[in-house]
Amino acid sequence: GIQVEQSPPDLILQEGANSTLRCNFSDSVNNLQWFHQNPWGQLINLFYIPSGTKQNGRLSATTVATERYSLLYISSSQTTDSGVYFCAGGITGTASKLTFGTGTRLQVTL
Amino acid sequence: NAGVTQTPKFRVLKTGQSMTLLCAQDMNHEYMYWYRQDPGMGLRLIHYSVGEGTTAKGEVPDGYNVSRLKKQNFLLGLESAAPSQTSVYFCASSYSMSSGSSETQYFGPGTRLLVL
């Protein structure tokens, strides 16, 4: 099956700093999603981004499908950005099953 | 629009007991999923369903059964709970044929299960 590797595993930022999270896939995927798990455990979908670039406020994501990786950019980080960021990938048409990475744990400090 | 809801939020079981976790979605989604999340790990797919009356095994199906008798509900059963099943269980849903929505997965709040 698909292997998903995320880096870095842990990240500590001061409020206002920028960061880039990376996700590598062992095989091609055409269903790629980024999620944020807040400190209370809730999983929120950030992006559905099988290719190209998307932006949503201070967050943006870029997927280079041919090279099997995706990047999540967080700009001007805030304490509310803390939590764990997961990427997940799969193949459309197969019930949209996703394989998750082990996540990047982000802590934003004042 | 409640999205995806899960019942119960927290449960403690003794080894060998059985229980059923309920997931409900009001987005008319075709696909539903059950995941488990263990400390320091990502989510792993237990079972999934592509429509009412259908179920299929995911990555870690042993010790679990599922049913999808109604489109909006997806039940996860543990027939004889084991300590190794202590975990946080998440339900998710995706894809609406009628609205042509993307395959974005929407998650419930999770059920924390402790098996003693």
Side-chain angles (χ1 to χ4, degrees):
Chain A
I2 297 169
Q3 306 297 314
V4 182
E5 184 180 327
Q6 290 188 243
S7 60
D10 296 280
L11 189 58
I12 300 175
L13 296 176
Q14 244 184 341
E15 199 171 41
N18 304 326
S19 63
T20 301
L21 282 58
R22 186 178 177 106
C23 183
N24 291 328
F25 293 88
S26 62
D27 208 344
S28 296
V29 298
N30 60 6
N31 178 3
L32 197 158
Q33 302 184 33
W34 283 95
F35 298 87
H36 175 225
Q37 187 169 38
N38 66 25
W40 297 271
Q42 180 67 44
L43 280 154
I44 304 297
N45 191 291
L46 298 175
F47 294 102
Y48 171 75
I49 185 166
S51 63
T53 297
K54 288 186 177 180
Q55 181 152 8
N56 184 3
R58 296 180 296 101
L59 302 181
S60 64
T62 295
T63 295
V64 183
T66 53
E67 298 189 19
R68 303 198 301 268
Y69 74 88
S70 184
L71 302 173
L72 178 70
Y73 305 97
I74 304 174
S75 64
S76 304
S77 58
Q78 299 177 0
T79 56
T80 53
D81 295 330
S82 296
V84 183
Y85 290 81
F86 291 102
C87 66
I91 303 296
T92 57
T94 58
S96 304
K97 292 183 293 179
L98 293 175
T99 298
F100 280 74
T102 54
T104 292
R105 183 173 298 275
L106 173 65
Q107 182 180 353
V108 181
T109 61
L110 292 171
Chain B
N1 207 352
V4 181
T5 58
Q6 293 184 230
T7 310
K9 288 184 171 50
F10 177 70
R11 184 77 184 267
V12 179
L13 288 180
K14 294 181 180 178
T15 296
Q17 286 185 319
S18 63
M19 78 164 293
T20 300
L21 283 67
L22 171 63
C23 175
Q25 53 94 5
D26 61 2
M27 296 175 281
N28 200 34
H29 281 164
E30 304 299 324
Y31 303 158
M32 295 186 75
Y33 315 86
W34 276 107
Y35 294 91
R36 61 177 288 173
Q37 184 179 28
D38 300 301
M41 299 181 71
L43 280 74
R44 291 183 292 168
L45 183 64
I46 305 171
H47 286 280
Y48 64 97
S49 167
V50 298
E52 182 178 316
T54 74
T55 63
K57 294 180 180 179
E59 181 186 352
V60 288
D62 293 342
Y64 305 95
N65 56 74
V66 288
S67 64
R68 188 147 178 224
L69 300 179
K70 293 183 179 181
K71 184 177 183 178
Q72 63 267 35
N73 295 337
F74 196 27
L75 278 63
L76 178 71
L78 286 73
E79 290 186 346
S80 179
S84 60
Q85 294 178 303
T86 293
S87 189
V88 181
Y89 292 85
F90 287 96
C91 175
S93 70
S94 72
Y95 187 61
S96 167
M97 277 197 287
S98 58
S99 67
S101 64
S102 74
E103 298 181 52
T104 300
Q105 289 195 14
Y106 296 89
F107 279 80
T111 294
R112 190 172 297 273
L113 176 65
L114 174 62
V115 182
L116 301 174

